[in-house]
Amino acid sequence: MDKIRFTINSRQVVADKGAAILEVALQNDIYIPHLCYHPSLKPRGVCRLCTVEVNGGGLATACRTLAEEGMEVRTRSPDVDRAVRPIIELLIADHHASCRGCPSSGRCELQRIMANLRIDRRRVRRLRATKKELPMETLKPGFDYEPNKCVRCGICVQTCEDLHGTSCLYFMERGYGTRIVFFGDKSKCESCLECVVRCPVGVLISKKT
Ligand code: FES
């Protein structure tokens, strides 16, 4: 496979031609915030949290932008910050109020992003709208869905589609009301629980774990 060389934050990296910037960054232990990216899935560019600056100018989503020879990528800059910070602050404000007791605490991608971007919890608290907590749902015997934590990244839906050809999980409703539901015949679910494993924020919870 042809190789290319480019820089991320002034550090030279070598990558296979055709690799996306985010893929290469993560392989080289350079963290770029991301929620809707999973290495096994086709990147969809939904969350926009992987925004980076390319060649000292434009912004691009690192999960969907292919690295090029000689490219200069910056993962942090005032423009990147202006693009990413409001998205993550609103997502956190809409997320469940507390990490206490969450089975994903410590391996949650939102916690990681908050730490990486040094998000001010007090500022986010002010953005939090008063809304009714929704009850936990049992999507199917074996696993539950916590709607108050869902970041609508779509990894669970895409995983099911990808592994089984058709998804048992779907998005229902729109905007802040969007949630994940089981659709159709629940017996079609093969209980592989890969959607649970890949959920970045502990929204899907296996009762076996
Ligand atoms: Fe790139 Fe979500 S990880 S847009």
Side-chain angles (χ1 to χ4, degrees):
M1 173 106 39
D2 289 349
K3 298 283 181 193
I4 55 163
R5 282 172 178 71
F6 69 105
T7 61
I8 304 177
N9 299 338
S10 304
R11 178 176 146 198
Q12 186 167 92
V13 290
V14 182
D16 290 336
K17 198 170 179 188
I21 296 170
L22 180 59
E23 195 185 335
V24 182
L26 297 177
Q27 281 163 2
N28 285 277
D29 292 324
I30 301 168
Y31 183 68
I32 298 177
H34 58 276
L35 270 182
C36 70
Y37 169 82
H38 188 279
S40 309
L41 299 173
K42 195 165 168 228
R44 291 174 311 134
V46 173
C47 73
R48 321 301 286 182
L49 292 173
C50 66
T51 299
V52 292
E53 194 174 280
V54 175
N55 296 333
L59 299 181
T61 47
C63 65
R64 283 170 60 96
T65 306
L66 300 188
E68 290 173 12
E69 179 69 37
M71 194 180 235
E72 289 174 17
V73 176
R74 293 212 75 80
T75 62
R76 302 292 279 272
S77 76
D79 282 350
V80 170
D81 213 53
R82 269 192 291 276
V84 170
R85 204 162 278 270
I87 303 174
I88 192 66
E89 286 183 347
L90 287 173
L91 267 177
I92 294 164
D94 188 51
H95 193 68
H96 200 258
S98 165
C99 298
R100 208 170 295 147
C102 175
S104 269
S105 190
R107 54 185 170 86
C108 168
E109 206 55 46
L110 266 189
Q111 286 178 326
R112 190 173 183 194
I113 296 170
M114 279 182 81
N116 182 267
L117 298 180
R118 302 194 180 168
I119 299 291
D120 180 349
R121 280 176 189 267
R122 279 168 306 177
R123 193 182 129 76
V124 170
R125 225 169 275 144
R126 286 202 296 272
L127 299 172
R128 198 180 291 281
T130 37
K131 61 172 193 177
K132 222 172 107 204
E133 289 278 301
L134 299 167
M136 182 100 104
E137 293 172 29
T138 296
L139 284 186
K140 175 183 156 76
F143 73 98
D144 290 338
Y145 170 64
E146 166 45 295
N148 305 297
K149 291 183 190 166
C150 188
V151 290
R152 303 162 198 99
C153 65
I155 285 183
C156 55
V157 176
Q158 207 187 347
T159 292
C160 195
E161 240 163 45
D162 204 57
L163 293 180
H164 306 294
T166 168
S167 186
C168 299
L169 299 171
Y170 290 85
F171 286 112
M172 196 167 136
E173 298 182 19
R174 287 169 174 241
Y176 283 118
T178 309
R179 57 201 177 90
I180 301 293
V181 292
F182 241 97
F183 192 75
D185 185 358
K186 287 189 181 185
S187 67
K188 284 195 181 145
C189 169
E190 295 176 25
S191 299
C192 69
L193 298 184
E194 220 21 63
C195 53
V196 176
V197 173
R198 294 183 185 184
C199 175
V201 289
V203 166
L204 295 172
I205 304 151
S206 167
K207 288 180 177 163
K208 292 178 196 155
T209 57

